[in-house]
Amino acid sequence: MMQTLGPILNSAVVIMTPLLLAATGGLFTELSGMLNIALEGLMLIGAFGAIVFTHYSGSMFIGILAGILCSMLLASLIATVSLYLKANVFITGLAANLLVSGLTVVLSFKLFGNKGVVSFVNIPQLPLLHLRWIEKIPVIGNLLMGHNGFVYFSWLLLLLCNFVLYRTPFGLRLQASGLHDQVLVSLGLRPAHYRFIAFLVSGFTCALSGAQLTLNLGAYVPNITAGKGWIALVVIFLGQKRPFGLLVAACIFGLADAFSNFAQGSWDIPADFILAIPYILTLVAIIGVSIYTKRKSRIG
Amino acid sequence: MLMHDVSEKAYPNDRMIRAVQMDNITKIYEETGTLANNQVNLVLHKGEILCLAGENGAGKTTLMKILYGMERPDTGSIAIYGRRVHINSPLEANRLGIGMVHQHVMLIDDFTVAQNVTLGKEPIIHAVAYDEKRAEQLVEDIILRHHFSIIANQLVSSLSIGQKQQVEIVKMLYRNVDILILDEPTAVLTEQEIRALFVTLRSLIEQGKSLILITHKLNEIKAISDRVAIMRQGRMIAEAKTDSVDEYEISRMMMGKNVGSNIHKPSPVLSGRREIFRVSNVSVIKRDSGNPLLNNISFSSYSGEILGFAGVGGNGLTELEGILTGMLSVSQGTLEYRDTDVTKADTRKLRAMGMAYVPGDRLHTGVALEATVGESLIIHARHRLSRIGFMQRKKLAQYYRTLSHKYAIQGSMHMLTRMLSGGNIQKLILAREIDQWRDLIIFSEPTWGLDSASSQFVYDQIWLLKEQGAAIVLISSNIDEILSLSDKIIVMHRGKIVARFNHSTNEVTKEKIGTYMLGLAHQGATDDD
């Protein structure tokens, strides 16, 4: 049992990281009162940008920075169009997602003459962190060690996010713009301002989330995000819009995914069905949570 | 003598200092083409309470929004303490020492009092962090200094409306304002809360603040203000010392004509009264909170009788409205409508049986703002006006013409409902619901936010319905309204019935009802029904 549990836990942590990162940024837009469905697109452009620029510059650091820049540019475009030009944020987000999925294919073909999988053999590998004394602890050692920098950064970011949202004036105002934006207006503050920043934050974290996907793989696969941005949205709701709720929710999805990867190789169940497990879980979780919250607020 | 003595003896002279001077203010709302302010002048002296009076739509709120930087005037100038200023935002107004308490409280329910007060001007610790402790300390200091009944770390959602208003005032005091504008501060308060508010306002004046109160309640103008400024249709009609005018003069100036004393005490209709709706031992319990929203309520509504429900917001009136109209299901107890059990019936069924309903939230429940006026009017009769699923346009137009004529609804049937004024929207709802009525009609806050002409129209319609034998349930937080219309009065507090009065036989006063509304008294198990 231990032999299988260890690797499952370890891969669960790796799988949950992009979800957690995207959800962390998405939490900012969500609390500011904007439904940010562009998480998927922001991830994808970050993923593409990061690996392409790593390839050209030879430096992973520059690659990641460039990925972040691409994603934040797109985020500011979405924010400008929906906040200042007053377009419907849902439509803008949808447009952004479609734009990115098309743009990456076009660019991939232009740059590498390939619309399919582009693998980069010359780029450096993501370094993994190993600390012997922690690794010796059973189960937890596997959980905590042997991951790449993104994993640890995502945890750090979550702590930072918790601090910013609940312990700073900015966080207070951000929440206020989501709860009752007219209050801010009556105080002479601009809700759009805080929402814009929230979009930038979501661009930042989504880029990291996407970068981890491609850099970990050393290749760009078309549509590599495969709905993870949408699941990140689910993670936000499932996590009750609380930073540590996100951690728990992302963990559940990470485990489900890791389990389905494991089951695929070991059990005699159709692979398609097993691969669908995370998505079925999404559905079940949403229904479960909405029943729960309805119960909680129901009268009579 | 002129030089040094500006401390205490200066008080009478203070009155001559012009804290605010607004000259020739004109404001046109381009979207609707209304001339909200037409060359308005206004002066507020330091240390006085000025009542800005006028009907709805007279331009009072617009003028004050201009002073508070929320609207920009098209022409005119503003001087604060003699210095000419341009106020482009509330933030700037705050810097100039001007604060405003809005009619609808601008607070975030999920935040604490301290968070609400300090929002936008938060104390900082460790360079970036919000200093919650200091915020609570600063707010608590203001609360203590002014004897408010709130606590700094309380959640706003747990406060009464009167307390929420205190939070708004504290919010302005925290910003060190010395010119405070209050927009209809008493609209949602009980008699006792109003008195407490007035004490607060007086103490603010003693501390050297200057106040502008927007109101259209004559007795309040007389009770609190030093001077009164009266607006009508965007113009400033008069400014006067309050002592020098009486209530009739003020009302005449507000309305342009004398108001007849149309409010008459209702005559009881006793002959052949039938029980129409019966509520027996009904409770509504919210799952995760201990306190029931409605607690063991029983009453009956009879034909030809107006049954008034009084109470402060948050004490079960909304839930009562909900259960009577099938919008909210009961946890315990039964509802009977003409001897049929309707405990589980939904709104659709109740309406089919003949219930009509004029909702308190008229903008959301009463009409669809994005629908046309015609659509809002015929929504209940669409089956009658259509054949094999298609609307018959001719019939519809005919129907609209009849009703809009009868109820003097302004605007055309193809206009969007949201373009109508509040009074016209209410008329539209009345027209529809009276057309729908068979034997039971429920009114919730029927005149809330309406001017006196529109209110009078609503009252006339209610009396007419009563004469026609309708069983009328009137839910209202306006005690005057309850007193002048109801045959029987039930007072609610914390979801319970705390008092019943038979208005046609007993002497009931505003104070008496107010006492029960605030839960200061409780009638025994017996009632004089």
Side-chain angles (χ1 to χ4, degrees), chain B residues 19-30:
Chain B
V20 176
Q21 178 162 5
M22 300 176 84
D23 283 318
N24 271 320
I25 302 288
T26 297
K27 171 75 188 176
I28 298 165
Y29 284 112
E30 277 176 20

Side-chain angles (χ1 to χ4, degrees), chain A residues 66-244:
Chain A
I68 289 171
L69 194 71
C70 294
S71 181
M72 284 176 82
L73 267 175
L74 181 66
S76 59
L77 182 72
I78 300 167
T80 308
V81 172
S82 37
L83 296 173
Y84 298 111
L85 306 178
K86 312 265 178 205
N88 182 320
V89 68
F90 193 85
I91 305 292
T92 334
L94 201 60
N97 287 343
L98 293 172
L99 173 77
V100 173
S101 81
L103 191 69
T104 46
V105 172
V106 171
L107 285 178
S108 158
F109 187 69
K110 271 274 176 212
L111 297 172
F112 311 109
N114 185 355
K115 286 188 199 167
V117 178
V118 187
S119 67
F120 301 88
V121 279
N122 60 339
I123 66 162
Q125 278 234 307
L126 276 177
L128 306 179
L129 182 68
H130 288 282
L131 288 177
R132 272 286 157 74
W133 57 278
I134 293 184
E135 268 184 335
K136 279 191 186 141
I137 309 169
V139 187
I140 299 176
N142 259 317
L143 205 66
L144 293 180
M145 282 297 122
H147 303 303
N148 60 53
F150 287 102
V151 173
Y152 302 108
F153 192 71
S154 74
W155 298 346
L156 228 106
L157 206 62
L158 196 70
L159 287 174
L160 188 67
C161 156
N162 191 57
F163 173 79
V164 170
L165 285 175
Y166 301 106
R167 291 278 174 270
T168 66
F170 171 79
L172 211 59
R173 295 174 188 187
L174 186 85
Q175 290 183 64
S177 61
L179 291 167
H180 192 345
D181 57 357
Q182 286 308 307
V183 172
L184 288 180
V185 174
S186 78
L187 293 170
L189 300 170
R190 294 195 191 93
H193 176 78
Y194 302 99
R195 290 179 174 147
F196 196 97
I197 295 175
F199 267 106
L200 288 182
V201 172
S202 73
F204 174 76
T205 66
C206 284
L208 288 176
S209 159
Q212 195 219 358
L213 292 176
T214 44
L215 293 178
N216 201 22
L217 198 65
Y220 179 77
V221 182
N223 212 6
I224 188 168
T225 49
K228 286 200 166 58
W230 296 99
I231 294 185
L233 264 186
V234 178
V235 166
I236 295 171
F237 288 98
L238 205 60
Q240 306 274 308
K241 302 185 189 176
R242 287 295 208 159
F244 297 108

Side-chain angles (χ1 to χ4, degrees), chain B residues 170-433:
Chain B
V170 174
K171 199 155 108 183
M172 290 302 132
L173 295 175
Y174 174 77
R175 285 165 168 73
N176 283 321
V177 305
D178 70 353
I179 297 162
L180 188 59
I181 307 160
L182 296 109
D183 189 357
E184 309 222 7
T186 62
V188 287
L189 302 188
T190 61
E191 208 63 10
Q192 279 84 344
E193 283 174 322
I194 291 173
R195 241 173 272 153
L197 173 71
F198 283 2
V199 172
T200 305
L201 298 184
R202 281 282 165 217
S203 85
L204 289 176
I205 291 296
E206 272 161 31
Q207 291 168 26
K209 317 263 185 211
S210 322
L211 305 181
I212 300 179
L213 240 68
I214 303 181
T215 180
H216 52 221
K217 294 189 187 165
L218 300 172
N219 53 350
E220 286 169 11
I221 298 173
K222 286 301 274 185
I224 188 79
S225 70
D226 300 306
R227 280 193 318 126
V228 56
I230 297 150
M231 292 187 73
R232 188 170 76 224
Q233 291 171 350
R235 285 176 175 279
M236 185 62 73
I237 298 299
E239 270 185 73
K241 279 218 158 69
T242 310
D243 298 338
S244 66
V245 285
D246 64 19
E247 295 179 22
Y248 290 101
E249 272 176 86
I250 298 173
S251 71
R252 189 174 43 75
M253 289 189 281
M254 268 164 63
M255 304 215 244
K257 56 177 196 272
N258 251 324
V259 265
S261 52
N262 264 339
I263 299 208
H264 49 73
K265 202 174 162 180
S267 53
V269 179
L270 291 169
S271 55
R273 68 169 205 168
R274 286 174 297 123
E275 189 178 40
I276 302 293
F277 202 93
R278 184 196 292 164
V279 174
S280 318
N281 306 99
V282 160
S283 296
V284 171
I285 297 156
K286 200 175 167 184
R287 278 248 167 112
D288 58 344
S289 74
N291 278 340
L293 299 171
L294 285 180
N295 193 348
N296 203 13
I297 303 281
S298 301
F299 64 87
S300 291
S301 174
Y302 294 92
S303 60
E305 186 178 270
I306 302 177
L307 176 61
F309 281 89
V312 185
N315 280 293
L317 289 191
T318 321
E319 289 74 20
L320 184 73
E321 182 181 339
I323 60 149
L324 288 180
T325 55
M327 312 264 280
L328 187 68
S329 53
V330 303
S331 315
Q332 286 157 26
T334 54
L335 307 172
E336 281 165 81
Y337 186 6
R338 289 195 308 256
D339 301 326
T340 311
D341 183 7
V342 290
T343 312
K344 295 215 180 319
D346 59 6
T347 312
R348 189 190 180 97
K349 180 161 184 223
L350 287 170
R351 286 181 72 90
M353 289 175 73
M355 185 229 14
Y357 170 36
V358 178
D361 185 2
R362 67 180 78 108
L363 297 187
H364 298 104
T365 315
V367 290
L369 289 175
E370 298 300 322
T372 67
V373 173
E375 286 164 344
S376 289
L377 193 65
I378 56 107
I379 182 70
H380 70 294
R382 61 197 184 284
H383 299 301
R384 249 194 288 154
L385 299 173
S386 53
R387 196 161 53 193
I388 54 163
F390 292 97
M391 303 292 304
Q392 294 182 290
R393 300 183 69 154
K394 246 190 209 159
K395 251 186 169 176
L396 203 156
Q398 173 65 33
Y399 179 78
Y400 174 80
R401 265 199 304 280
T402 322
L403 281 189
S404 65
H405 183 71
K406 190 170 167 196
Y407 295 95
I409 300 164
Q410 280 149 29
S412 79
M413 70 179 285
H414 299 294
M415 226 164 105
L416 288 187
T417 308
R418 68 179 159 82
M419 307 295 284
L420 292 182
S421 70
N424 264 313
I425 287 182
Q426 187 69 332
K427 278 184 190 174
L428 191 152
I429 297 171
L430 272 177
R432 185 182 71 207
E433 296 305 318

